Amino acid sequence: MKVRIFLTAILAVCAMQARAASDTDLDSLIKTLREQSLSESVSIAKRLIGTPYRWGGTNAKTGFDCSGLVFYVFKQQNITVPRVPKDMFVAMTRVPDDNLAPGDVVFFNTFAKLSHVGIYIGNREFIHAPTRGKTVAIDSLDSGYYAKRYVGARRAALANASIDQPDYSAGLLAGL
């Protein structure tokens, strides 16, 4: 009986240590998934280059406005973001300019406050649906027009970013 209790206690301690180690692994997994998701955002957006601008547009067949493009790209990954720039800006997590990553959403004051958005692709460039008569394109954050109107960047939260892990330690301790 003492051996059984001893072995159960050892298993319980091992399970708790494995759980602690797996929390670190889980954080690493979530970070990797986030990076992959952001990279996927860029890949999707790049495939849409050349799609016509359309006020209120949210699909590749008929065209996009700027926020419709961002909304569409994230929707393809089952990530829900608000439809309009002002709501996106409030709902998303702030990203310092020195921490921009591909897939972040960049915001501008064009015709009004927080009136334009795009998806950052790296190297100080972003993809966006510029304006009537143009198509989805890549521009530079440093170009005169956008540099003067740049407000900041935000990062969308991953849908289902947590992964549930069972806690086996309670069951192992039940035999004590």
Side-chain angles (χ1 to χ4, degrees):
M1 180 67 169
K2 287 182 180 181
V3 172
R4 182 173 174 231
I5 292 172
F6 178 73
L7 289 176
T8 303
I10 288 175
L11 285 173
V13 168
C14 289
M16 286 184 257
Q17 287 176 342
R19 173 93 178 160
S22 68
D23 286 345
T24 302
D25 294 342
L26 180 60
D27 290 342
S28 178
L29 175 62
I30 289 172
K31 182 179 178 189
T32 299
L33 289 172
R34 184 178 318 279
E35 289 168 357
Q36 288 173 348
S37 177
L38 293 173
S39 294
E40 182 64 17
S41 298
V42 172
S43 296
I44 293 167
K46 282 184 173 180
R47 289 193 298 266
L48 298 168
I49 290 173
T51 303
Y53 178 90
R54 179 173 160 247
W55 180 262
T58 59
N59 71 67
K61 290 182 183 175
T62 58
F64 297 103
D65 65 11
C66 64
S67 57
L69 173 68
V70 172
F71 179 82
Y72 177 87
V73 166
F74 284 100
K75 186 177 180 183
Q76 300 312 299
Q77 301 170 85
N78 295 317
I79 298 172
T80 303
V81 299
R83 172 62 181 90
V84 297
K86 288 178 185 176
D87 294 340
M88 287 179 187
F89 193 82
V90 170
M92 294 179 179
T93 304
R94 183 184 174 280
V95 178
D97 290 342
D98 62 353
N99 197 25
L100 278 173
D104 287 339
V105 180
V106 290
F107 293 82
F108 305 87
N109 292 338
T110 54
F111 66 88
K113 186 175 181 179
L114 297 173
S115 54
H116 191 67
V117 293
I119 298 173
Y120 186 72
I121 62 170
N123 297 320
R124 310 263 322 139
E125 294 182 321
F126 65 102
I127 295 177
H128 64 132
T131 190
R132 186 169 286 138
K134 296 196 174 186
T135 62
V136 172
I138 296 174
D139 271 303
S140 172
L141 290 174
D142 300 321
S143 74
Y145 182 82
Y146 292 107
K148 286 186 248 179
R149 291 164 175 81
Y150 178 72
V151 176
R154 298 288 190 264
R155 189 165 291 154
L158 271 181
N160 304 317
S162 64
I163 299 172
D164 292 330
Q165 292 182 317
D167 184 357
Y168 297 111
S169 60
L172 292 171
L173 294 173
L176 295 176

